[in-house]
């Protein structure tokens, strides 16, 4: 009897060891596959830090030009499910509790220098490029949504369903998390983000894009001259997107 | 001495029960496949409530898994015979529930097919990745621990491996609690209190599960649990339940102390609708006060059936507590501009709604069933029945 038990126990342990070994060996098989999954990091240079300055005094309630441009550029469209549809940029209407003063402004990924989303991401899919742009590598994202829990700005969306209006420059996929890329595909071609371009084209001039590391850039000069804020500055995330007028 | 506990006449019934549990596991897998195929749009989860019912189940299972091992620890580490006799069953339940919980967590991922990425691309800064490491070592240590307890030749090592398992389970629960502790921007979670609170929750949930499984095993084998032993275990359970209550009070009092948290506390404690109800009626009344009343009642607390009822209430309360913490914590909107009222098309400044869907529930139940399946099969193959004759009980 006790031999029987011993035997089955041995088998049980052997199976366990084999299982564990399998888990360790299998990953090697896919390593090649993944090696080329990170094209985004290459062009970025740490001498730059891309950022944005948003002047809420020039941003009107009801104006949605930046949001529309972003959707068009990145293929983010509504599917009629407002609670699950991704939003990379949105207009927030604000009312100060004490004074009753109201503001309207666009909110998107703040491209934090100390991004909580990157800290918590278990796989490293959330990452910050050398030039400060925070991205999700959608080939590595497992869709755990921990980054969404960690982001203080509700900047991230989970792709809840299949969609078919992909922009080839902007890969997106069901089951992964995504957020504003600061139009990295345009920035790498020396263009401005689509929202900024649309804001200027509409003659609102509420959004300014530039290099925060370059003291001579317009954005740095404006930040040096005027009172600007980082949203939730108390969290000390050193955001790349700054606001003026709030 | 062992396998005849499941006598032949009961084999039919055993396989029937196994079949039913298997079906629930299959339903869970089916639900996961359905969610994976259509995307999370078919669940109740949204961009506001990003972790839903599956996480409630998964966290329950993982927390209870580390807690149930406490029974074994008291035996091996602190040398108490009553608990020593129960060590193997506790170890088995720990492995089974952790496996069930991880299954749910894994299958709820947006890309469950990327299991291998999840295990090889580790961002060592992430508490999540730390948890993957904690779980893997936990499985190994508990498996070793089981070996030292079940194999007489290995008995001598039991104490040392048991100690390692004890330390590791504390680390594991701290790790689970820390997942939330790192969410600094969320009002419900950014507190260091969560880690110790999770440890004490794990003691209570784990022991409640243990009591139920033990009762099922005894009645299946037509054996009666010694009254003295039952008495000790129920007292321990009562202590843990009371300790969870204490931590709950401290958690809410601390939140109330910080002015910026009062709105959140008001929401959970007073006008949070389903969350308020679940808190007061689910967690406090049914999940805490009712079982405490049973466990301290001079008559009822001597009856096995009532103690099982109390244990079930504790588990019910556990689910209510985790639901309030997890879903209620997300339902309350992030405060992006603390001194202003916010509104947007992305539901800023509003209480977020969530209605759990059937697939989510089935996936969660599938995890519990998977744990039950592992337990039942292992108990059939090896002897996990507590054996009090070999461990002298000092009355
Ligand atoms: S705003 Fe959110 S998503 Fe963007 S970098 Fe900061 S934490 Fe990450
Ligand atoms: S959802 Fe993707 S990007 Fe976000 S934390 Fe998980 S793996 Fe990282």
């Amino acid at each position: 009897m006790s031999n029987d038990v011993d035997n089955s126990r041995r088998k049980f342990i052997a199976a366990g060891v084999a299982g564990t070994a399998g888990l360790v060996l299998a990953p090697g098989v896919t390593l090649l596959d993944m090696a080329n999954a990170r094209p985004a990091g290459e062009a970025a240079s740490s001498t730059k830090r891309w950022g944005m300055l948003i002047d809420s005094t020039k941003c009107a309630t009801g104006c949605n030009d930046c949001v529309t441009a972003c959707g068009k550029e990145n293929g983010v469209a509504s599917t009629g499910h407002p609670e699950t549809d991704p939003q990379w940029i949105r207009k927030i209407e604000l009312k100060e509790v004490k004074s009753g003063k109201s503001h309207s402004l666009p909110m998107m990924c703040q491209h934090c220098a100390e991004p909580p989303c990157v800290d918590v991401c278990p796989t490293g899919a959330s990452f910050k490029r050398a030039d400060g742009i925070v991205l999700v590598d959608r080939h590595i994202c497992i869709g755990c949504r921990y980054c969404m829990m960690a982001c203080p700005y509700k900047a991230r969306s989970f792709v809840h369903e299949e969609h078919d209006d992909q922009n080839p420059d902007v890969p997106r996929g069901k089951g992964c998390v995504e957020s504003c890329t600061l139009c990295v595909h345009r920035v790498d071609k020396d263009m401005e983000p689509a929202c900024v371009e649309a804001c200027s084209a509409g003659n609102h001039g509420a959004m300014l894009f530039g290099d925060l590391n370059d003291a001579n850039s317009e954005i740095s000069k404006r930040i040096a001259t005027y009172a600007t804020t980082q949203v939730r500055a108390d969290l000390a995330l050193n955001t790349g997107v700054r606001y003026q007028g709030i | 001495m062992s396998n005849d506990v499941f006598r032949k006449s009961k084999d039919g019934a055993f396989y029937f029960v196994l079949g039913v549990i298997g079906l629930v596991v299959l339903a869970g897998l089916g639900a996961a496949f359905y969610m994976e195929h259509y995307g999370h749009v078919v669940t109740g989860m949204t961009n506001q409530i990003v972790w839903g019912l599956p996480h409630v189940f998964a966290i329950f299972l993982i927390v209870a898994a580390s807690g149930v091992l406490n029974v074994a620890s008291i035996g091996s580490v602190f040398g108490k015979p009553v608990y020593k006799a129960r060590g193997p069953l506790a170890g088995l339940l720990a492995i089974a529930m952790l496996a069930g919980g991880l299954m749910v967590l894994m299958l709820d991922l947006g890309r469950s097919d990327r299991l291998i990425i999840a295990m090889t691309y580790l961002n060592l800064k992430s508490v999540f990745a730390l948890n993957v490491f904690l779980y893997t070592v936990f499985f190994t240590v508990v498996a070793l621990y089981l070996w030292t307890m079940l194999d007489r030749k290995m008995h001598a090592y039991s104490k040392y491996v048991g100690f390692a398992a004890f330390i590791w389970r504390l680390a594991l629960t701290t790790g689970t609690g820390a997942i939330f502790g790192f969410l600094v921007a969320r009002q419900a979670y950014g507190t260091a209190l969560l880690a110790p609170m999770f440890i004490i929750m794990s003691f209570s949930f784990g022991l409640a599960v243990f009591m139920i499984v033990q009762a099922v095993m005894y009645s299946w084998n037509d054996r009666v649990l010694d009254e003295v032993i039952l008495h000790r275990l129920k007292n321990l359970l009562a202590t843990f339940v009371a300790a969870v209550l204490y931590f709950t009070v401290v958690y809410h009092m601390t939140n109330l102390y910080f002015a910026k948290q009062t709105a959140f506390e008001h929401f959970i404690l007073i006008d949070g609708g389903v969350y308020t109800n679940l808190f007061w009626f689910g967690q406090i009344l049914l999940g805490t006060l009712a079982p405490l009343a049973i466990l301290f009642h001079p008559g009822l607390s001597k009856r096995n059936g009532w103690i099982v009822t109390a244990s079930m209430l504790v588990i019910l309360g556990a689910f209510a507590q985790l639901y309030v913490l997890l879903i209620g914590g997300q339902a309350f909107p992030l405060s992006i501009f603390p001194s202003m009222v916010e509104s947007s098309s992305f539901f800023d400044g509003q209480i977020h709604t969530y209605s759990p869907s059937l697939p989510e529930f089935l996936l969660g139940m599938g995890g519990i069933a998977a744990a039950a399946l592992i337990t039942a099969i292992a108990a059939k193959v090896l002897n996990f029945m507590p054996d009090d004759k070999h461990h002298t009980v000092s009355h």
Side-chain angles (χ1 to χ4, degrees):
Chain A
M1 186 81 225
S2 115
N3 258 343
D4 274 9
V5 175
D6 263 15
N7 262 337
S8 56
R9 190 178 301 138
R10 247 171 243 133
K11 272 184 212 144
F12 169 78
I13 291 163
V17 170
T20 319
L23 293 180
V24 177
L25 288 180
V29 179
T30 59
L31 280 178
L32 272 181
D33 215 22
M34 325 284 294
N36 48 11
R38 236 183 232 223
E42 282 148 26
S45 144
S46 61
T47 56
K48 289 195 182 345
R49 176 166 186 218
W50 296 118
M52 212 187 269
L53 179 62
I54 295 166
D55 185 348
S56 70
T57 58
K58 295 187 182 152
C59 182
T61 300
C63 174
N64 227 20
D65 288 359
C66 54
V67 179
T68 314
C70 172
K72 213 169 137 213
E73 178 66 34
N74 297 299
V76 184
S78 145
T79 63
H81 301 133
E83 299 202 309
T84 49
D85 279 343
Q87 294 204 20
W88 288 20
I89 179 171
R90 63 192 189 271
K91 283 295 295 293
I92 298 192
E93 303 302 319
L94 297 169
K95 203 174 184 130
E96 284 178 24
V97 177
K98 280 198 190 118
S99 61
K101 197 168 173 240
S102 59
H103 309 269
S104 180
L105 48 81
M107 173 54 61
M108 72 294 262
C109 172
Q110 304 288 292
H111 297 278
C112 312
E114 309 285 342
C117 58
V118 172
D119 284 347
V120 301
C121 176
T123 63
S126 283
F127 69 103
K128 189 180 70 171
R129 294 207 325 178
D131 57 6
I133 301 181
V134 176
L135 298 170
V136 177
D137 182 339
R138 87 152 188 90
H139 298 283
I140 303 176
C141 173
I142 55 174
C144 68
R145 290 132 31 228
Y146 196 14
C147 54
M148 298 175 75
M149 292 290 280
C151 173
Y153 307 100
K154 200 167 180 277
R156 294 203 152 181
S157 293
F158 180 65
V159 183
H160 283 76
E161 56 193 307
E162 213 74 69
H163 52 85
D164 42 23
D165 38 10
Q166 290 247 16
N167 170 353
D169 280 340
V170 188
R172 305 175 55 216
K174 183 185 76 181
C176 293
V177 166
E178 54 185 29
S179 55
C180 156
T181 63
L182 218 59
C183 280
V184 67
H185 58 291
R186 293 169 58 101
V187 171
D188 284 346
K189 285 185 246 163
D190 291 326
M191 293 160 77
E192 286 186 330
C195 55
V196 178
E197 190 181 75
C199 190
S200 310
N203 274 328
H204 315 303
M207 299 173 96
L208 176 65
F209 173 78
D211 181 4
L212 296 169
N213 278 353
D214 173 4
N216 293 318
S217 67
E218 200 191 334
I219 188 168
S220 296
K221 284 189 204 151
R222 289 246 304 257
I223 287 175
T225 319
Y226 302 101
T228 58
T229 29
Q230 302 185 26
V231 179
R232 289 295 310 261
D234 56 317
L235 298 172
L237 305 177
N238 185 2
T239 56
V241 177
R242 310 284 170 86
Y243 290 82
Q244 191 178 343
I246 46 168
Chain B
M1 95 257 163
S2 69
N3 291 357
D4 53 72
V5 288
F6 292 107
R7 281 153 314 159
K8 283 268 174 317
S9 63
K10 283 209 170 165
D11 267 7
F14 177 78
Y15 288 115
F16 177 74
V17 172
L18 214 57
V20 172
I21 301 175
L23 282 180
V24 181
V25 175
L26 281 181
L29 293 176
F33 181 75
Y34 173 74
M35 283 159 55
E36 185 81 10
H37 183 76
Y38 289 101
H40 276 57
V41 70
V42 297
T43 71
M45 288 176 260
T46 61
N47 279 325
Q48 288 62 246
I49 309 287
V50 303
W51 287 349
L53 199 56
H55 277 78
V56 173
F57 277 86
I59 293 169
F60 171 80
L61 283 166
I62 293 168
V63 166
S66 72
V68 76
L69 204 62
N70 204 39
V71 174
S73 305
I74 301 177
S76 299
V77 181
F78 305 107
K80 297 270 193 290
V82 168
Y83 296 97
K84 223 176 208 166
R86 282 159 184 75
L89 179 58
L92 169 63
L93 282 172
I95 287 188
M97 284 197 283
L98 184 60
L102 291 182
M103 175 188 122
V104 176
L105 216 51
M106 204 58 228
L107 291 176
D108 179 59
L109 291 179
R111 298 294 306 256
S112 328
D113 54 315
R114 292 184 173 165
L115 175 66
I116 287 168
I117 294 186
M119 307 214 318
T120 49
Y121 276 69
L122 289 187
N123 164 20
L124 295 177
K125 264 178 94 182
S126 165
V127 230
F128 243 25
L130 173 73
N131 273 279
V132 172
F133 172 68
L134 288 170
Y135 299 147
T136 317
V137 178
F138 186 80
F139 272 123
T140 319
V141 173
V142 178
L144 274 177
Y145 188 29
L146 273 181
W147 184 19
T148 64
M149 286 190 290
L150 292 174
D151 189 337
R152 272 198 212 108
K153 282 177 285 195
M154 299 293 291
H155 273 356
Y157 303 102
S158 186
K159 190 165 176 152
Y160 306 107
V161 185
F163 190 69
F166 173 67
I167 296 297
W168 204 259
R169 59 153 302 268
L170 290 182
L172 185 104
T173 332
T174 313
T176 314
I179 288 180
F180 294 97
F182 269 78
L183 304 174
V184 284
R186 304 238 172 201
Q187 317 243 350
Y189 310 127
T191 158
L193 208 61
L194 281 179
M197 183 157 122
F198 266 77
I199 290 184
I200 208 71
M201 281 155 68
S202 81
F203 286 171
S204 166
F205 305 171
L207 186 56
V209 171
F210 184 88
M211 301 285 274
I212 292 169
V213 174
Q214 173 179 253
V216 170
M217 286 180 77
Y218 270 81
S219 85
W220 185 275
N221 294 303
D222 299 322
R223 280 174 49 183
V224 182
L225 182 59
D226 186 277
E227 215 175 90
V228 180
I229 296 175
L230 187 67
H231 187 74
R232 271 201 210 160
L233 290 173
K234 73 101 188 161
N235 277 347
L236 189 65
L237 182 62
T239 312
F240 291 158
V241 171
V244 173
L245 177 63
Y246 170 77
F247 262 90
T248 307
V249 172
V250 175
Y251 168 79
H252 288 290
M253 296 301 278
T254 327
N255 273 351
L256 280 169
Y257 179 78
F258 293 107
K260 58 178 187 197
Q261 308 279 49
T262 43
F264 169 70
E265 281 302 315
H266 193 268
F267 171 68
I268 294 293
L269 300 178
I270 296 166
D271 63 6
V274 57
Y275 308 107
T276 305
N277 286 332
L278 275 175
F279 176 75
W280 289 110
F281 297 110
Q283 185 188 339
I284 300 297
L285 196 66
L286 285 177
T288 306
L289 300 180
L292 281 180
I294 295 173
L295 294 171
F296 284 127
H297 189 280
L300 299 184
S301 69
K302 289 205 172 63
R303 309 250 291 276
N304 206 7
W306 277 100
I307 292 190
V308 170
T309 308
S311 305
M312 284 178 165
L313 286 171
V314 170
I315 292 175
L316 194 86
F319 272 89
Q321 180 175 11
L322 289 173
Y323 195 94
V324 171
L325 182 74
L326 191 75
I327 318 273
Q330 294 174 80
F332 192 77
L334 276 173
S335 177
I336 303 177
F337 296 90
S339 61
M340 305 194 213
V341 180
E342 304 159 32
S343 66
S344 78
S345 61
F346 210 37
F347 307 96
D348 287 295
Q350 306 178 20
I351 300 295
H352 307 312
T353 54
Y354 170 70
S355 25
S357 63
L358 183 65
E360 290 167 80
F361 176 72
L362 289 178
L363 174 57
M365 290 305 289
I368 293 190
L373 199 68
I374 295 171
T375 311
I377 293 175
K380 173 93 177 152
V381 178
L382 296 167
N383 181 22
F384 283 101
M385 190 71 197
D387 176 10
D388 286 309
K389 273 186 230 103
H390 284 84
H391 301 273
T392 34
V393 182
S394 49
H395 284 213

